[in-house]
Amino acid sequence: GADGCPGYAERSGGYGYDAARIPWRIGTDYVWWGTPAARDWLVRVLDWVVAQPSGIEGIVDGYTLDGVPVGTIHGVPFVGGFAVGAMAHSQALADALAADLIVTPDVRYYQSSLRTLYLLLLTGYFPPGC
């Protein structure tokens, strides 16, 4: 696909590699500023993650907008985005997702860069801007 990810074109209208960063972005808003709307959105998304029968290990790299998995790769962009989002949900869920993020392999620049950004926020080393 356009970004070097398998199956990207088939998922570009759903929750794919571009959308995987949204929980991180909204999670950053929540962690930095405590925005209630950010928390509400994140709780809804993470409630969906928790409800998945496949569990954390079953998070894949693409979903339809109805939440049906279409990806096959358990990857950093998705696990990490949900880990940051879980900071608005519960400490236990954030810890579980972060533990999975640490051991999930990455082989590309995009995944490695996102892992760094996600872990900076998860560990408190991504301070708010001015």
Side-chain angles (χ1 to χ4, degrees):
D3 67 351
C5 299
Y8 178 79
E10 294 82 26
R11 295 190 306 274
S12 62
Y15 188 84
Y17 280 86
D18 290 339
R21 297 171 291 178
I22 294 171
W24 164 63
R25 290 177 173 157
I26 294 175
T28 301
D29 179 45
Y30 174 71
V31 169
W32 284 359
W33 314 115
T35 307
R39 182 187 180 286
D40 294 346
W41 187 88
L42 291 164
V43 167
R44 282 194 315 270
V45 169
L46 272 296
D47 281 347
W48 172 81
V49 171
V50 169
Q52 296 308 296
S54 55
I56 291 171
E57 297 80 17
I59 294 171
V60 294
D61 65 336
Y63 297 88
T64 67
L65 294 180
D66 294 334
V68 176
V70 293
T72 59
I73 299 169
H74 182 74
V76 167
F78 296 81
V79 173
F82 292 144
V84 169
M87 294 174 78
H89 190 279
S90 73
Q91 187 65 53
L93 183 57
D95 289 349
L97 284 159
D100 189 75
L101 170 64
I102 291 168
V103 299
T104 299
D106 60 63
V107 295
R108 296 188 173 139
Y109 173 79
Y110 179 72
Q111 288 87 337
S112 297
S113 298
L114 283 178
R115 182 195 310 269
T116 301
L117 291 171
Y118 293 156
L119 288 172
L120 284 170
L121 190 63
L122 285 162
T123 58
Y125 290 104
F126 197 80
C130 299

